[in-house]
Amino acid sequence: MQKRLLNTSANLLLRSLKTAAINPIRIARPVARYSTVKSVPLTADTYSSKVQRDPKYKKLDSSDLDFFKSILPESSIVTDDDDLLFYNEDWMRKYRGQSNLLLKPKTTQQIADILKYCNAKKLAVVPQGGNTGLVGGSNPIFDEIIISLSSLNKIRSFDPVSGILKVDAGVILENADQYLSEQGYIFPLDLGAKGSCEIGGNVACNAGGLRLLRYGSLHGSVLGLEVVLPDGTIYDSMHSLRKDNTGYDLKQLFIGSEGTLGVITGVSILCPARPQATNVAFLAVKDYETVQKVFVESRKELGEILSAFEFMDLKSQQLTKQHLGLDHPIESGEYPFYILIETSGSNKDHDDEKLENFLGNAMENGLVEDGIVAQDESQVQSLWSWRESIPEASAMNGGVYKYDVSIPLKDLYGLVEAANKNLAEANLVDFEDDAKPVVSAIGYGHIGDGNLHLNVCVRKYTSAVESVLEPFVYEWVSSKKGSISAEHGLGFQKKNYIGYSKNPTEIALLKQIKQHYDPTGIMNPYKYI
Amino acid sequence: MQKRLLNTSANLLLRSLKTAAINPIRIARPVARYSTVKSVPLTADTYSSKVQRDPKYKKLDSSDLDFFKSILPESSIVTDDDDLLFYNEDWMRKYRGQSNLLLKPKTTQQIADILKYCNAKKLAVVPQGGNTGLVGGSNPIFDEIIISLSSLNKIRSFDPVSGILKVDAGVILENADQYLSEQGYIFPLDLGAKGSCEIGGNVACNAGGLRLLRYGSLHGSVLGLEVVLPDGTIYDSMHSLRKDNTGYDLKQLFIGSEGTLGVITGVSILCPARPQATNVAFLAVKDYETVQKVFVESRKELGEILSAFEFMDLKSQQLTKQHLGLDHPIESGEYPFYILIETSGSNKDHDDEKLENFLGNAMENGLVEDGIVAQDESQVQSLWSWRESIPEASAMNGGVYKYDVSIPLKDLYGLVEAANKNLAEANLVDFEDDAKPVVSAIGYGHIGDGNLHLNVCVRKYTSAVESVLEPFVYEWVSSKKGSISAEHGLGFQKKNYIGYSKNPTEIALLKQIKQHYDPTGIMNPYKYI
């Protein structure tokens, strides 16, 4: 079969299908700042026309500190400005808050005591996991107290028969996945920031990531939560049942609530068996229409073993090449679009045959210009790095405006084209010319989920660029009945734009929920809705 | 390979693996009453010590009828007692309400008008789908007005690229699945009552069923809902995006709310591609421990193609044999437990090989006493009928007390044994002797989901039997940290037992939700929580 492939096309440099090791584990990237911006301006200054500190919130004073000292060990209380900087700033270095206090509780009860006090005193708080969010949702805007979950980081239990894992909220995603790997299981969520992000934060933001196509959303896999409500009530709903129809599924409200209803302290989640075989193919195609065709065919032919279908445009790969300083895996030239396909299954021979047939057909039908299949675990990791390094590469010239949207498949890439057109008309963009603020708008993402990442790579953040992008991007997405936030959430960045994705009745009902659970409004203010 | 199997065991009557047709569709059972009880006593009489009509609700009068006549065509209003009987009674003929009015609206707006009026007048209502519920949740207790969704039954749209289906709530599950079959897709939910149950009711009850092992719960696959709230507000959240992180996922509250928060009128749901190949194997094993071992092995070896793992005990099959009047598929004798395994995949040859290897290993390891593999579509249907006919067979001697529980796997069958022991000690049970009220407690269900159906098959409903079963069953489940309702819901039957599965904080928060959305309390009263 492989012979046939090689014989029928000179273009397709399809290499051996002796691929993929068992249980491949990607190399964790070191925690890296997305941006090379030297000093991050205060969010309060940048957005002074849009947001002011609400005077209803108490300002921290020594009596408050005394209280926190009475319930927490000294090591859990951080007040030094330099130490606070990491927590005040976001990962992209776009937002900077002015918190004077970081608390790092070690138990659920400590968090309950903290919230009960803050609620009574009207002290605003912002819960923070691994600080890897992309919409400024986990950083303070003004002087909110930061509650870090990082010290609440124990794996509570794992049942190897059912695959149900229970963890503290502060467990780092990659640590959980590594632990599961040793038991023959896999965490149903994976994303680029896995080395830093925490499971509580993942759940609070309803993270989507790279495995959603195969394992579905957290709304399906999370079986139970432990949450501290704003008044200090501990909502212990850490169930470990795949099916339980006794009452409203209340935990769902906290999945994706971005710290505005309470603090998630524990997660019970159903984990699938770890695939025995993984294959990764990296393909070059001639246009976006072909990307869609390859997707439809892959879903048909690869069926139940298709575990990722990611696409990347040319400029995203050019930037990543500069960033990584490596030769691109597709050596025969540059192509308008690239596709990464991953399969995961229980039988290596079957999976190889399915992939071989699929690639052979795709080539015969003229869909694929060139392609490569990983031959071992290091190649699997290497090919994934060309997809996972795009976010960092996007910001290496200074910064990046990130938009994470859902759009019906046929229109999906149109947004990138429209953004570049508008930026060009405003004379703001040039890939080479350092005098222009914008390098390029690039597009990549999870085709299988209808999820585009539009990154507008800039040399500096300017209001001229922002005014071209917003509200244009949101209006464009809304016109296609898409979502202005597929997986990144609303946070601070999109607080005022929910109306592009939700109707007034929906928004009114959401505001009721916020009011119901957090009437004092101490939880992560100035954000979400 | 197959030869090896036949050579190494004389016991395993493993037949040809030339199995399963493409897109098998099970024959829909005719709508059948579960019970042969001639006249169903009024719920209000049977449970007079537990529930009384709440005088806060208005009694229907002619002015109300005049209003409904002003907004609905005559054909949508039913007041004749004989015509009302089907809607007043439940499927199992255990509950009977006394409603004097059935409304069958044809549009969402009509439902909004009805609820707005009822809310203002304090007229209690009960929404009803296909009336196939098993906990008396969709029948009135007293004189609640029945709102049937059966006339709201259009398929709204289907996108063959994304697989997203939008339907009215009253579309019958099997009709939707048949429609999807023609498009190469499958509904992610399947259950015995598919020929009668309606999708709105499925979602309102968070139905689990036979495909949950493969396709997950409705909390993961439902993408949007349209719901009329008690005050008549239309909550239009019929989104069709796989990923959308703009605000709390409010629709989740209505999934499994059993008509107590509003009336679901529309459903948007993600449907998977229809498998190209289906295999079904029916196996006999010697004890419950072996059932578990076969499950663990099947998950390992069949991996991503395992789509159902159902178990049945001997008595469930003896009753089904009497009911169907057919020879059992396992002809070599009777065995303590039976297992039905279904695989669904995209490549027939690969699936056959995986199943063959798995069965060969299971036999070599002495796990399987006898077995059969379906060779064509009619055999697939025939084997499934031995699992799907158990509910009807359970009631053929008079009636059945049904318990649907989640229990950790190792303890799961212990409940059936304990129930039979208690009934025997109370001298209430005999499989042959018609003088005893109980035929037997039998067990079957979805091992893959930790979900047991305990059916206590009776010749008549008696309080003596009930007092042996309750609260014993709930206490036993609670002691194993299980759920007293895995998929059937709470309805009327389990309203007072939620405390066995949820703690006081959880229950208090659930009651708040009910109060928040239905402060007047008109939605499906006397039930749920």
Side-chain angles (χ1 to χ4, degrees):
Chain A
M1 184 63 78
Q2 193 182 333
K3 211 167 169 186
R4 183 178 63 79
L5 291 176
L6 292 169
N7 286 345
T8 51
S9 169
N11 285 333
L12 191 75
L13 302 175
L14 195 66
R15 288 162 219 166
S16 165
L17 276 161
K18 292 175 202 152
T19 39
I22 289 170
N23 298 341
I25 297 156
R26 282 167 224 143
I27 293 165
R29 288 183 293 103
V31 177
R33 291 283 170 190
Y34 265 179
S35 165
T36 55
V37 171
K38 288 227 169 52
S39 171
V40 183
L42 291 175
T43 308
D45 292 341
T46 313
Y47 299 93
S48 59
S49 65
K50 290 182 183 167
V51 64
Q52 282 84 42
R53 186 182 185 285
D54 190 328
K56 80 175 177 183
Y57 298 118
K58 181 176 187 286
K59 293 198 175 183
L60 190 75
D61 63 27
S62 61
S63 68
D64 303 318
L65 274 175
D66 288 343
F67 172 77
F68 294 124
K69 283 174 186 168
S70 76
I71 61 162
L72 295 171
E74 206 177 324
S75 61
S76 296
I77 301 175
V78 178
T79 54
D80 179 84
D81 276 352
D82 288 343
D83 294 339
L84 281 165
L85 189 60
F86 175 84
Y87 302 89
N88 266 319
E89 283 185 10
D90 77 314
W91 204 25
M92 296 165 61
R93 307 200 70 196
K94 191 172 171 194
Y95 303 104
R96 180 155 68 97
Q98 306 164 63
S99 182
N100 303 306
L101 178 63
L102 164 74
L103 301 177
K104 300 179 84 170
K106 292 176 193 296
T107 67
T108 300
Q109 187 58 53
Q110 286 175 351
I111 295 176
D113 293 342
I114 293 168
L115 287 189
K116 187 177 179 186
Y117 180 84
C118 290
N119 196 50
K121 299 286 184 184
K122 294 199 177 171
L123 284 161
V125 303
V126 50
Q128 187 177 94
N131 195 11
T132 61
L134 295 165
V135 288
S138 69
N139 310 98
I141 305 301
F142 299 99
D143 58 344
E144 301 91 274
I145 297 169
I146 304 169
I147 302 176
S148 166
L149 277 297
S150 298
S151 297
L152 198 73
N153 57 6
K154 301 269 187 307
I155 288 175
R156 296 190 188 180
S157 68
F158 179 68
D159 177 354
V161 175
S162 65
I164 295 169
L165 175 74
K166 293 185 179 181
V167 294
D168 284 349
V171 170
I172 289 173
L173 176 57
E174 188 166 51
N175 293 351
D177 195 54
Q178 181 63 45
Y179 171 86
L180 288 166
S181 170
E182 291 158 13
Q183 320 275 333
Y185 283 81
I186 191 170
F187 203 90
L189 171 75
D190 186 23
L191 61 161
K194 67 189 294 185
S196 311
C197 66
E198 298 171 8
I199 292 172
N202 294 147
V203 173
C205 298
N206 189 28
L210 304 163
R211 291 177 185 158
L212 189 133
L213 179 67
R214 176 65 169 275
Y215 300 120
S217 89
L218 292 173
H219 287 290
S221 51
V222 170
L223 301 179
L225 290 179
E226 181 187 80
V227 182
V228 180
L229 301 180
D231 67 358
T233 300
I234 297 174
Y235 166 60
D236 175 4
S237 195
M238 283 288 280
H239 298 283
S240 53
L241 300 166
R242 180 138 191 199
K243 290 161 94 168
D244 175 21
N245 274 354
T246 57
Y248 311 118
D249 197 356
L250 195 59
K251 70 171 185 291
Q252 300 282 357
L253 287 183
F254 299 95
I255 301 174
S257 64
E258 301 184 33
T260 62
L261 298 182
V263 177
I264 293 174
T265 52
V267 175
S268 170
I269 188 163
L270 183 68
C271 300
R274 205 166 190 92
Q276 299 296 303
T278 300
N279 288 325
V280 171
F282 205 99
L283 310 175
V285 301
K286 66 175 186 288
D287 52 31
Y288 179 68
E289 202 184 327
T290 309
V291 172
Q292 296 174 72
K293 285 182 184 164
V294 174
F295 173 60
V296 170
E297 290 304 309
S298 74
R299 213 169 41 173
K300 201 182 295 172
E301 296 188 41
L302 298 172
E304 64 279 3
I305 64 167
L306 181 66
S307 55
F309 192 104
E310 301 284 315
F311 94 106
M312 298 141 271
D313 66 8
L314 173 57
K315 285 213 170 68
S316 79
Q317 293 300 282
Q318 289 172 332
L319 289 171
T320 304
K321 191 177 169 183
Q322 287 174 33
H323 177 63
L324 294 177
L326 297 171
D327 287 336
H328 196 270
I330 303 291
E331 296 161 344
S332 59
E334 292 186 329
Y335 298 90
F337 288 92
Y338 298 89
I339 295 167
L340 185 151
I341 289 176
E342 184 189 78
T343 68
S344 306
S346 60
N347 185 307
K348 183 81 183 79
D349 293 340
H350 291 170
D351 292 3
D352 287 354
E353 192 180 318
K354 286 190 179 90
L355 184 61
E356 199 175 339
N357 287 343
F358 161 69
L359 292 173
N361 291 338
M363 194 199 55
E364 269 188 17
N365 296 334
L367 295 177
V368 173
E369 305 299 316
D370 193 0
I372 183 170
V373 177
Q375 295 179 51
D376 57 30
E377 189 182 320
S378 77
Q379 287 195 12
V380 165
Q381 291 174 17
S382 164
L383 291 182
W384 264 110
S385 75
W386 287 89
R387 163 63 185 84
E388 292 193 297
S389 301
I390 300 173
E392 285 175 20
S394 297
M396 68 176 179
N397 288 292
V400 58
Y401 292 95
K402 292 178 79 74
Y403 299 93
D404 154 58
V405 298
S406 283
I407 305 174
L409 214 56
K410 71 178 167 52
D411 296 319
L412 190 135
Y413 196 70
L415 176 58
V416 184
E417 294 169 331
N420 271 320
K421 181 164 169 283
N422 286 7
L423 290 164
E425 281 172 6
N427 201 25
L428 292 168
V429 59
D430 195 297
F431 200 65
E432 308 288 344
D433 182 0
D434 282 352
K436 294 284 192 284
V438 181
V439 181
S440 181
I442 65 170
Y444 62 99
H446 320 293
I447 282 283
D449 313 322
N451 183 183
L452 169 75
H453 293 306
L454 165 68
N455 279 11
V456 180
C457 312
V458 295
R459 298 184 175 91
K460 58 183 176 183
Y461 295 118
T462 72
S463 59
V465 172
E466 260 177 60
S467 66
V468 170
L469 294 174
E470 297 183 16
F472 155 73
V473 169
Y474 301 125
E475 286 172 351
W476 199 95
V477 171
S478 184
S479 75
K480 307 293 181 189
K481 298 195 174 171
S483 168
I484 61 151
S485 181
E487 59 179 11
H488 290 178
L490 294 168
F492 179 73
Q493 186 190 339
K494 299 182 184 174
K495 173 186 163 59
N496 296 318
Y497 302 110
I498 187 172
Y500 288 104
S501 288
K502 294 273 156 78
N503 62 44
T505 303
E506 290 176 291
I507 294 170
L509 290 169
L510 297 184
K511 284 182 188 286
Q512 282 177 12
I513 290 287
K514 169 70 176 176
Q515 178 64 25
H516 180 76
Y517 287 104
D518 183 24
T520 318
I522 61 162
M523 297 303 308
N524 213 2
Y526 318 111
K527 297 168 189 161
Y528 204 65
I529 55 169
Chain B
M1 184 62 80
Q2 193 184 332
K3 211 167 172 187
R4 182 178 66 79
L5 290 177
L6 293 169
N7 286 345
T8 51
S9 169
N11 285 333
L12 190 75
L13 302 175
L14 194 67
R15 288 162 219 166
S16 166
L17 276 160
K18 291 175 201 152
T19 40
I22 291 170
N23 299 341
I25 296 155
R26 284 168 222 143
I27 294 166
R29 289 182 293 104
V31 178
R33 290 284 171 189
Y34 265 179
S35 165
T36 54
V37 172
K38 290 225 167 56
S39 171
V40 183
L42 291 176
T43 308
D45 291 342
T46 312
Y47 298 93
S48 59
S49 65
K50 291 182 182 167
V51 64
Q52 282 84 41
R53 187 182 184 283
D54 190 329
K56 80 175 178 184
Y57 298 117
K58 181 177 189 282
K59 291 197 176 184
L60 190 76
D61 64 27
S62 61
S63 68
D64 304 318
L65 275 175
D66 288 344
F67 172 78
F68 294 125
K69 284 175 187 168
S70 77
I71 60 162
L72 295 171
E74 203 177 329
S75 61
S76 295
I77 301 174
V78 178
T79 54
D80 179 85
D81 276 350
D82 287 344
D83 294 339
L84 280 165
L85 189 60
F86 175 84
Y87 303 89
N88 266 319
E89 282 184 10
D90 76 314
W91 205 24
M92 296 166 61
R93 308 201 69 196
K94 191 172 170 193
Y95 302 105
R96 180 153 68 96
Q98 305 165 64
S99 181
N100 303 306
L101 177 63
L102 164 74
L103 301 176
K104 299 180 84 172
K106 293 176 193 294
T107 68
T108 299
Q109 187 57 52
Q110 285 175 351
I111 296 176
D113 293 342
I114 292 167
L115 287 189
K116 187 177 179 187
Y117 179 85
C118 290
N119 197 50
K121 299 286 182 182
K122 294 197 178 174
L123 284 160
V125 303
V126 49
Q128 188 177 93
N131 195 10
T132 62
L134 295 165
V135 288
S138 68
N139 308 98
I141 305 299
F142 300 100
D143 58 343
E144 302 91 273
I145 296 169
I146 304 169
I147 301 177
S148 167
L149 277 298
S150 298
S151 297
L152 198 73
N153 57 6
K154 300 271 188 306
I155 288 174
R156 296 191 187 179
S157 68
F158 179 68
D159 176 354
V161 175
S162 64
I164 295 168
L165 176 74
K166 294 185 180 182
V167 294
D168 285 348
V171 170
I172 289 173
L173 177 57
E174 189 167 51
N175 292 352
D177 194 54
Q178 181 63 46
Y179 172 86
L180 288 166
S181 170
E182 291 157 13
Q183 320 275 332
Y185 282 81
I186 190 170
F187 203 90
L189 171 75
D190 186 24
L191 62 160
K194 69 190 291 185
S196 311
C197 66
E198 297 171 8
I199 291 172
N202 295 147
V203 173
C205 298
N206 188 31
L210 304 163
R211 291 176 187 159
L212 189 133
L213 178 68
R214 175 67 169 274
Y215 300 120
S217 89
L218 292 172
H219 287 290
S221 51
V222 170
L223 300 179
L225 289 180
E226 181 186 80
V227 182
V228 180
L229 301 180
D231 67 359
T233 299
I234 297 174
Y235 167 59
D236 175 3
S237 195
M238 283 288 280
H239 299 283
S240 53
L241 300 166
R242 179 137 191 201
K243 289 162 96 169
D244 176 22
N245 274 355
T246 57
Y248 312 117
D249 197 356
L250 195 60
K251 69 171 184 291
Q252 300 282 358
L253 288 184
F254 298 96
I255 301 174
S257 64
E258 302 183 32
T260 62
L261 299 182
V263 177
I264 294 174
T265 51
V267 175
S268 170
I269 188 164
L270 183 68
C271 300
R274 204 165 190 94
Q276 298 295 302
T278 300
N279 288 324
V280 171
F282 206 99
L283 310 175
V285 300
K286 66 176 185 289
D287 54 29
Y288 179 67
E289 203 184 326
T290 308
V291 172
Q292 296 174 73
K293 285 182 184 165
V294 174
F295 173 59
V296 170
E297 289 306 307
S298 73
R299 214 171 39 173
K300 202 183 293 172
E301 297 187 41
L302 298 173
E304 64 278 4
I305 63 167
L306 182 64
S307 55
F309 192 105
E310 302 283 317
F311 94 106
M312 298 141 270
D313 66 8
L314 174 59
K315 285 212 171 67
S316 79
Q317 293 300 283
Q318 289 173 332
L319 289 171
T320 304
K321 189 175 170 183
Q322 288 174 33
H323 177 63
L324 294 177
L326 297 172
D327 287 335
H328 196 270
I330 303 290
E331 296 162 344
S332 59
E334 291 186 331
Y335 298 90
F337 288 92
Y338 298 89
I339 295 167
L340 185 151
I341 289 176
E342 186 189 78
T343 69
S344 307
S346 61
N347 184 307
K348 183 81 181 82
D349 293 339
H350 291 170
D351 293 3
D352 286 355
E353 194 180 317
K354 285 190 179 88
L355 184 61
E356 199 175 339
N357 288 343
F358 161 70
L359 292 174
N361 291 338
M363 192 198 57
E364 270 186 17
N365 296 333
L367 295 177
V368 173
E369 306 298 316
D370 192 1
I372 183 171
V373 177
Q375 296 179 53
D376 57 30
E377 189 182 320
S378 76
Q379 287 194 11
V380 165
Q381 291 175 18
S382 164
L383 290 182
W384 264 110
S385 75
W386 287 88
R387 162 64 185 84
E388 292 194 296
S389 301
I390 299 174
E392 285 175 20
S394 297
M396 69 176 179
N397 288 291
V400 58
Y401 292 96
K402 292 178 78 75
Y403 299 93
D404 153 57
V405 297
S406 283
I407 305 174
L409 213 57
K410 71 178 165 55
D411 297 319
L412 191 136
Y413 196 70
L415 176 59
V416 183
E417 294 168 330
N420 272 320
K421 181 164 168 282
N422 287 6
L423 290 165
E425 282 171 5
N427 201 23
L428 293 167
V429 59
D430 195 297
F431 200 66
E432 306 289 342
D433 181 1
D434 282 352
K436 295 282 191 287
V438 181
V439 180
S440 182
I442 65 170
Y444 62 99
H446 321 292
I447 282 282
D449 312 322
N451 184 183
L452 169 75
H453 293 308
L454 165 68
N455 279 10
V456 180
C457 312
V458 295
R459 297 183 175 91
K460 58 183 177 184
Y461 296 118
T462 71
S463 59
V465 172
E466 259 176 61
S467 66
V468 169
L469 295 174
E470 295 181 19
F472 156 74
V473 170
Y474 301 125
E475 285 171 351
W476 199 95
V477 171
S478 184
S479 74
K480 307 294 181 190
K481 297 196 174 170
S483 168
I484 61 153
S485 180
E487 59 179 11
H488 291 177
L490 294 168
F492 180 73
Q493 185 190 340
K494 298 182 184 175
K495 172 187 164 57
N496 295 318
Y497 302 110
I498 186 172
Y500 288 104
S501 288
K502 293 274 156 77
N503 62 44
T505 303
E506 290 176 291
I507 294 169
L509 291 169
L510 298 184
K511 284 181 187 287
Q512 281 178 12
I513 290 288
K514 169 69 178 177
Q515 178 64 24
H516 180 77
Y517 287 104
D518 183 25
T520 318
I522 62 162
M523 296 304 307
N524 213 3
Y526 317 111
K527 295 168 191 160
Y528 204 64
I529 56 168

